[in-house]
Structures are given as C-alpha cells and as structure tokens.
Amino acid sequence: MRKSLIAVAIGAALTVAACADKEAAQATDQQAEQQVQQAEQQTAAAEFNQSNPFYAESTLPFHAPDFTKIKFEHYEPALLAGMEAHAAEIAEIATNSEPATFENTIVAMEKSGALLGRVSAVFGNVAGSAGNDDFRALQVKMAPKYAAHSDNISLNAALFARVKTVYENRDQFEGEKLRLIEDTYKDFVRAGANLTEEQKVRIREINSELSSLTTEFRNNLMTLVDENMIVVDDKAQLTGLSESQIASLAKAAEAKDMPGKYVITITNTTRQPILSSLENRELREKVWRASAERGSGNTATDNRPLVKRMAQLRAEKAQLLGYDNWGAYVLEQSMAATPEAAQQMLRDLVPAVVSNVEAEMAEIQAQISSEGGDFEVKPWDWAFYAEKVRAEKYALDSNEVKQYFEFNRVVEDGVFYAMNQLFGITFEKRDDIPTYADDIVVYEVKDVNGESLGLFYGDWFTRDGKRGGAWMSSFVSQSHLLGDKPVILNNMNITKAPDGQPTLLSFDEVSTMFHEMGHALHGMFSDVTYPSLAGTSVSRDYVEFPSTFQEDWTLNPKVLANMAKHHETGEQIPKELLDKVMAAKNFNMGYDTLEYIAAALLDLEYHTLTPDSAAGIADVNSFEQASLTRNGVAVEAVPPRYRSNYFAHVFAGGYSAGYYAYMWSEVLAADAFKFVQENGGLTLENGQAFRDAILSKGNSKDPMQQYIDFRGQKPTVDALLERRGLTAPKID
C-alpha cells in the first residue's frame, strides 16, 4: 500500500509554522500522534485483503451490504485501511502539479474515500441498530481516529489553497456545480482552514475530545437503559395494562434471566408510553423517576460531567472560529440563520402554549378530584389522567383504536399505499437481500414508470443493542457522478407482540411510521450529481420538513379507509370511532408542544454560552431549571421531552443548537400540506410537484428557494397553529 502523504505533510506544516516553545511542543506532540495513527493505518492496510468483504463494492443489487459475509472482525481493519486509502487520495489532490480546477479538485474530492464511506455506513448503522459491547468499544476506539482523519483533510493548507482557487473563479459556474463549490469552500473555512497553526492545533484537540465525549455519551445511554430498568415482581402491580403488554414485559424479563418477573425498560424520552395505562401510582412514579433522573448520578453512569464539558468545548471552538457562541456557528448555515431567530420563534409560541397547558391541567386536576384524589397532578400522573379525560371527553378508548392498526396492514395498506397514491411508487419485497438482524424486511422501490429507484430496509422493531427513537439513514446515497442508487434504512422501536399475536400500533406509532418514510423518500427521490449534495444533506431546520409533511397523510380519509381495519374481523374502523380520533387528534397538544419547546430552548441555552460561562456551570440540573424558568417554560408537571443528561439529539447526535428545527420544519410542513389540500390533496400531480421541487433536490439549491418554487411564497405560521389546534391566550 502507498504511504500516506497527507499526515506527513500536515505534521511538517505544523512544525515549520510553530514559533513559540508552546506551539512547537504542541505541534511535535500532534505530529507524533499522527505518525502513530499513520502507522496503525498502514499496518491495517497491509493486512486488509480480498478476504475482507469490504475490500470491493458489494456485488448485490444496488451495492447493498452482504451480511452473509460481514463479521465484526472485518470492521476495524476496513475502517483503518479506508482512512489510509482516503488520505492517499486526498494527498494526490493536494499535491497535484496541475492548476486547480473544478474537476481535478472539487470533483476529485467527491470521488475520494469510497472504501471508508462503504464500511463507515455499514458500521454506523449496525452499531446503532444491532450493536453490543464489542461495537461500542470499537466506536470509542475509532472516534478520535475519525476526528483526526477529518482534521487532516479540512486543515490541509495545500488542499485548501486549491479549493480557494476554484472558489475565487466560481463566476464561470452555475447551478449544482456552483452550489458544490461554495459549500466546499465554506466547509473548509468553518473547519478552521484560515486559522493560525497554533489555533489549528487547538481545534484538533477540541475535535478529538468532542468526538470521544459524544461517543461516550451515546454509549452511556445504552448502559443507562439497563441500569434504570424497573423489575416488577407482582403482576397485580401492572393493572391497567393489556394481557399482550404484560406478556411482553414477562418476555423482556426472561431475556434478562429473570423468569416469573416483569421488566419495564425506559424509552429515550422523559415521558414513558406505559404511564398512560399503569393504575399503580407508586409504580408510575418509579418509572418516571427512572426515566427523568437517569444519567444524573442516580446510578453508576453519570452524564452530567459530559454535558458540561461538551458545552464548554463547543463554545471554545466557536470562538476560535470567530463566532460569539456555538449556536451562532451552527445556525449560520441554517434557514433560521441565528440562535436569536430560533429562540424568538419558540418564545413567541410560549404564551399560547402555556395557556393551553393550563387549560389541560385544569381538566386533569378535575378528573383527579372526581375520583377522590387529594394530590396535585405530577409528571407521572399526567399521561394516565389525560387518557381518562380523553376517553370521557371524546368517548375514545386508545386500546380500541389500536385494534384497527395492525402492523403489517399499516405498512402495506397504509404507508406504502399512500406513497403509491401520491408518487406512483411501489414496494416489492426482496427476500434474497440479507440483513443484519431478524425482523428486517427489504423492498425494492419501483418508480411510477416501473424503473428501480433503490432499496428500502424496514427495521421497525425494538431489540437489545438498538438505540432508542426512530430515524432514517442509508447504506448507499444517490449520486449520478458515482452511478449510485440509494439504499435507505428506516428504524423504529415498536414492541413486537408475542409469537402468534398481532402487533397493534398506537396512533402515534402509525404517524411516526409515515414521518420516517418521509425521510426515506427524501433520500430515495434524490436526483443530484454530487454525493455531498444528495438526499437529506440539508440544514437541520429543513431536513424535518419533508418527513413532517408526510405525517398528515395518516389522517387522509382514503388512506384510513385502506389501512384502518380490525385485525380480527377485517371490518372498517367505524365512522363514529374515526370521528372521535379526528376530534381528539389535537388533545393534549399543549403538553406535547410545551415539552418540546422546553427541550429546544434548553438546547439553545447551552449553546449560547461562552467558554467561561459553560465552565462555570456548578450543577447541570440547576442550570437546566434556571434556563426553563428564564424562558417561561418551567411547569413542574410538564418536564422537557429530553433533560440534559439523556438529550441524545444534542449531546450524542447532530442536533446541537438545532433541536428547534423540528418546530421550524413543521411551519414549512403545515403550510405546504394545507396548500396541497387546497389543490386536490392526495394526487399524483401534487406528489410529482413536491418531488420535483423538494424531494429530488437535496442540497443542490437553497432550501427557501426550493420551498418558494413549490409553494409560490414563503410560509406563514397560521397553518402550524391550526395543525396543532393551539389558540392564543385570552387578554382581558
């Protein structure tokens, strides 16, 4: 294998540029670290051969991963060899003796890193969906190596000089090429390409530490699930749950070698779904506390030091790069543009939302009193009594509703049907494509004209080793440059019913399935040349727009008529029950909105700190409470959807200073959906227009311009308030 020139070149540049003793010492230490990593990568590259399934592109359709061949021991050598190969490719680009051009610099970079991209996509997806201690240990080991590899590219002065040359001559380009040039240049600048060598040394240190801390936080979340599981000895304590739910808890206990007991595991949000059914108030409180207090020192795993340190490091990095704070750095490339704009959008909603919460709370308190309760509603009471209010107010039994939403029918006759009606696409099962775990189904997606678009993996059920929540990702991204069609993955955490019983879904789970399909189609319909601009590679406050838009088809009468049928009798959901569902869809929306806004504002509070103020946080829990109070969202019975210690989006994902994006995107989604409804609704014509203007563009065009191209104007918040059923507070 070729020796990596890129690490040597950067190490030499650092040494030459360092003048002061401190700078020289830092550069020498970093050069030594780079040489060690280089040696590891070269050793791995030497051992990496054709016996490794990642050595060449998969020969399966659409280059889908061949899980009949991939074993855990293949990942590390392939990752290291991938870094080595990518570094060599980048070195060739940076040291090219020919003048810098779009083709030999920007396009050459787009074509580089094929091996690393191949193995990283599979490793990341499997680690998150079916990982174990071995995967988590390897993630910890690889995190700083990934960070260093990225820095070796983005802080390469020779490479940046070539990118800058192309950027300064960008007037001769337009469309997707111009967009790629401008984005590539901005990425280098935002990574620190214009910093002094001393500053680059510090940026590398910060990136390495942040990478390790993020991985540690993510892995801690998995550990906290086990540390905070609730073991119930007496079935009588589970009164209120269905027999199927109880059977699932018993099965979970058996899997933990506790036969005869019942295990309740916490999900990733503060609010736990089981709280809406459990009658035992003492057990409800125990479940809620296990959720809300996890990672705060209540068990062996404490995430508080990680939260504080990450906030401090992000603030320092932002200031090094010339920004007031991390939020200003992150949001510069978003639709909101500034953290102040995002905060203002959220704060403007607070009065109306809190007013609705107060009205909801009064109804819940009245319900408690009517049953002889002499206590004020607490967080562990809200869902339980809200369900009673819902049942009384709308005569709606959520368990009765579930009988009409059997999993397979929702998938085939709901989600797939709606996407066929809107876009003309079909999903054909591919049993010949291997998967990484049981219960995953692979489909080939066919376009309206019968041509293949790509593959879709449905990984909908929870399992040990799977992170919480729901998400979309990909094994292969679309690119005309590389000739790749997309291979897309949807993940959820639905609890599968015991063998022989149907898996019945809540209405929220059905809605989430439509949401994630929206993300999947954003990747599936991508129609761009360059991989960096493909699919969901858009700003955080735009990426949730296409997915949220798809949610509302859940309530489309035509879609409901096709999927909402009783799992035993096949009878259509009665109109009376459906009317109740429609009437109740915005019930408890004050709570839902406030818990979200509280978390989004908390995120922005952390990421508008200076390094000193972040370092000065004496206690994370106290900082959190003060932040909620300052923003007017400190309602005891309605805690944030995510508290600091398990806020995965912000401290283990890509949403730092960006959790507000869900609400921002919902403004777009509500406005767009209302527009579609006013112009024919569920039709191929509307679907094609949305696909052409939005879903096919990726990041090849400015997001707001994409929206205007589709809608004809910028969005307003009116449809959002209508969608959520929120009303402004009365003013006497």
Side-chain angles (χ1 to χ4, degrees):
M1 297 292 289
R2 282 181 301 179
K3 183 178 181 181
S4 173
L5 301 177
I6 190 69
V8 174
I10 289 179
L14 288 170
T15 304
V16 170
C19 298
D21 291 342
K22 179 180 178 182
E23 290 175 285
Q26 289 174 321
T28 300
D29 289 344
Q30 211 156 68
Q31 183 181 13
E33 291 176 8
Q34 290 164 6
Q35 290 173 342
V36 169
Q37 179 165 340
Q38 178 187 343
E40 288 180 348
Q41 291 175 189
Q42 289 173 347
T43 299
E47 297 174 351
F48 183 68
N49 54 50
Q50 294 183 23
S51 65
N52 191 303
F54 292 111
Y55 188 83
E57 279 190 323
S58 167
T59 58
L60 293 181
F62 307 98
H63 305 302
D66 190 346
F67 288 107
T68 63
K69 299 178 180 178
I70 297 171
K71 295 181 171 56
F72 176 76
E73 57 264 27
H74 293 136
Y75 288 112
E76 184 172 3
L79 287 167
L80 292 173
M83 290 182 188
E84 171 70 14
H86 192 204
E89 291 167 340
I90 292 297
E92 283 193 16
I93 299 169
T95 58
N96 189 342
S97 59
E98 296 293 325
T101 66
F102 176 72
E103 289 294 330
N104 70 19
T105 301
I106 306 298
V107 174
M109 290 171 62
E110 289 291 293
K111 291 180 177 179
S112 69
L115 170 58
L116 182 59
R118 203 159 52 232
V119 62
S120 294
V122 178
F123 175 67
N125 279 314
V126 177
S129 301
N132 54 32
D133 289 343
D134 289 337
F135 273 95
R136 287 188 278 278
L138 185 54
Q139 284 179 307
V140 170
K141 181 177 181 179
M142 294 305 302
K145 299 181 188 299
Y146 269 120
H149 177 69
S150 177
D151 287 340
N152 288 344
I153 296 171
S154 58
L155 299 179
N156 182 335
L159 182 62
F160 177 59
R162 295 182 66 83
V163 170
K164 187 176 182 181
T165 295
V166 178
Y167 175 76
E168 289 174 343
N169 292 280
R170 67 190 182 281
D171 291 348
Q172 60 186 292
F173 299 97
E174 59 183 15
E176 193 176 337
K177 291 182 179 180
L178 178 59
R179 182 81 173 173
L180 180 62
I181 292 169
E182 291 178 338
D183 276 11
T184 302
Y185 175 78
K186 288 176 186 176
D187 287 345
F188 272 86
V189 172
R190 286 170 55 79
N194 281 327
L195 298 181
T196 67
E197 294 306 325
E198 180 184 13
Q199 290 171 324
K200 287 180 180 179
V201 169
R202 181 56 187 149
I203 283 287
R204 285 175 174 276
E205 293 170 347
I206 291 172
N207 288 345
S208 179
E209 186 174 356
L210 277 174
S211 178
S212 295
L213 291 172
T214 300
T215 301
E216 184 179 356
F217 191 98
R218 182 184 302 115
N219 289 340
N220 282 355
L221 294 180
M222 302 294 292
T223 303
L224 286 167
V225 170
D226 288 335
E227 290 182 354
N228 287 277
M229 67 181 181
I230 298 91
V231 180
V232 178
D233 297 319
D234 185 0
K235 182 180 178 180
Q237 291 184 287
L238 302 176
T239 301
L241 302 185
S242 68
E243 285 302 318
S244 177
Q245 287 176 303
I246 293 172
S248 293
L249 300 185
K251 186 176 180 180
E254 289 175 4
K256 300 290 184 182
D257 294 324
M258 291 183 282
K261 299 183 184 295
Y262 307 87
V263 165
I264 301 171
T265 54
I266 57 173
T267 62
N268 62 322
T269 56
T270 301
R271 185 181 6 166
Q272 299 298 303
I274 201 171
L275 294 180
S276 65
S277 303
L278 274 176
E279 293 183 10
N280 187 309
R281 188 169 189 245
E282 183 179 345
L283 181 56
R284 287 203 309 269
E285 180 178 359
K286 188 175 181 181
V287 171
W288 184 86
R289 290 195 179 281
S291 173
E293 295 172 3
R294 76 188 108 153
S296 64
N298 66 319
T299 61
T301 303
D302 190 347
N303 271 346
R304 290 175 297 177
L306 306 186
V307 169
K308 178 178 175 179
R309 183 59 177 162
M310 278 192 271
Q312 181 184 356
L313 288 170
R314 287 169 176 170
E316 182 186 352
K317 179 177 177 178
Q319 286 199 350
L320 274 172
L321 293 168
Y323 298 86
D324 290 339
N325 51 60
W326 183 254
Y329 168 72
V330 170
L331 271 64
E332 179 188 49
Q333 292 191 302
S334 70
M335 296 183 77
T338 67
E340 290 77 17
Q343 287 171 318
Q344 191 61 50
M345 181 269 292
L346 295 169
R347 288 169 179 162
D348 285 348
L349 292 170
V350 168
V353 173
V354 171
S355 176
N356 279 264
V357 165
E358 290 171 348
E360 292 168 2
M361 191 183 301
E363 290 184 322
I364 288 172
Q365 196 63 56
Q367 180 69 35
I368 293 172
S369 299
S370 72
E371 296 183 10
D374 59 353
F375 54 86
E376 291 186 3
V377 59
K378 296 294 183 182
W380 49 88
D381 298 315
W382 189 292
F384 180 73
Y385 287 99
E387 190 57 38
K388 287 175 175 271
V389 172
R390 186 204 303 267
E392 183 175 315
K393 193 171 184 177
Y394 302 101
L396 182 65
D397 181 349
S398 60
N399 283 324
E400 181 185 2
V401 174
K402 283 184 178 182
Q403 307 305 307
Y404 294 89
F405 292 102
E406 188 272 326
F407 170 77
N408 290 304
R409 192 182 293 276
V410 169
V411 173
E412 301 284 347
D413 298 338
V415 179
F416 291 174
Y417 171 78
M419 298 307 104
N420 172 260
Q421 294 297 297
L422 192 60
F423 301 110
I425 60 175
T426 55
F427 295 76
E428 298 180 5
K429 194 174 292 186
R430 291 291 302 262
D431 294 327
D432 58 320
I433 305 293
T435 61
Y436 53 86
D438 294 336
D439 297 324
I440 300 170
V441 185
V442 182
Y443 301 86
E444 183 174 352
V445 184
K446 297 289 187 68
D447 209 343
V448 65
N449 61 4
E451 292 184 4
S452 293
L453 283 168
L455 292 179
F456 171 76
Y457 290 60
D459 185 357
W460 290 294
F461 297 109
T462 190
R463 70 173 65 85
D464 284 345
K466 191 177 195 178
R467 67 182 177 90
W471 67 95
M472 165 268 186
S473 55
S474 63
F475 289 122
V476 181
S477 296
Q478 180 272 331
S479 166
H480 294 310
L481 177 69
L482 305 178
D484 288 336
K485 290 189 175 184
V487 179
I488 305 297
L489 174 67
N490 267 181
N491 266 283
M492 287 183 63
N493 271 278
I494 296 169
T495 300
K496 191 174 184 180
D499 292 342
Q501 298 184 36
T503 297
L504 305 179
L505 305 183
S506 69
F507 201 77
D508 283 345
E509 288 173 326
V510 176
S511 180
T512 300
M513 193 170 286
F514 275 79
H515 178 100
E516 296 306 328
M517 179 54 67
H519 282 308
L521 293 187
H522 201 179
M524 190 66 66
F525 285 147
S526 180
D527 188 17
V528 304
T529 301
Y530 306 106
S532 292
L533 302 178
T536 57
S537 300
V538 297
S539 64
R540 287 294 182 191
D541 53 7
Y542 191 69
V543 75
E544 296 297 335
F545 155 44
S547 53
T548 305
F549 172 84
Q550 301 296 349
E551 285 181 30
D552 285 351
W553 297 117
T554 310
L555 287 169
N556 179 271
K558 191 174 181 181
V559 175
L560 279 169
N562 203 59
M563 74 169 169
K565 299 179 181 180
H566 198 281
H567 69 94
E568 291 180 334
T569 67
E571 293 180 1
Q572 188 77 43
I573 186 170
K575 184 178 184 304
E576 180 183 0
L577 182 58
L578 182 57
D579 288 343
K580 293 175 184 178
V581 171
M582 299 289 281
K585 71 183 180 70
N586 285 326
F587 176 77
N588 212 40
M589 191 56 73
Y591 182 107
D592 291 345
T593 308
L594 184 60
E595 68 162 3
Y596 164 77
I597 289 177
L601 286 167
L602 179 61
D603 168 31
L604 290 167
E605 287 282 340
Y606 275 113
H607 295 115
T608 49
L609 296 172
T610 64
D612 288 343
S613 58
I617 295 175
D619 176 70
V620 165
N621 293 340
S622 297
F623 174 84
E624 179 179 294
Q625 186 59 40
S627 297
L628 299 176
T629 301
R630 183 163 50 250
N631 284 283
V633 292
V635 178
E636 181 190 4
V638 189
R641 184 170 300 174
Y642 300 97
R643 297 189 64 193
S644 306
N645 306 318
Y646 49 91
F647 205 160
H649 287 76
V650 170
F651 295 111
Y655 278 79
S656 59
Y659 190 63
Y660 79 92
Y662 287 93
M663 186 66 74
W664 190 282
S665 293
E666 192 178 346
V667 170
L668 300 172
D671 188 72
F673 193 82
K674 184 176 182 180
F675 172 73
V676 168
Q677 291 299 93
E678 292 171 347
N679 288 274
L682 188 66
T683 67
L684 286 175
E685 183 180 8
N686 281 330
Q688 190 64 46
F690 192 72
R691 175 177 174 176
D692 289 345
I694 307 294
L695 298 179
S696 67
K697 298 302 181 188
N699 193 34
S700 65
K701 196 172 190 178
D702 175 73
M704 184 56 79
Q705 189 56 55
Q706 290 183 34
Y707 189 83
I708 293 171
D709 289 346
F710 170 71
R711 177 70 171 86
Q713 64 182 47
K714 292 183 178 181
T716 68
V717 300
D718 297 343
L720 170 68
L721 295 174
E722 182 180 331
R723 183 180 194 266
R724 285 186 166 250
L726 298 175
T727 56
K730 295 180 179 179
I731 300 176
D732 296 328

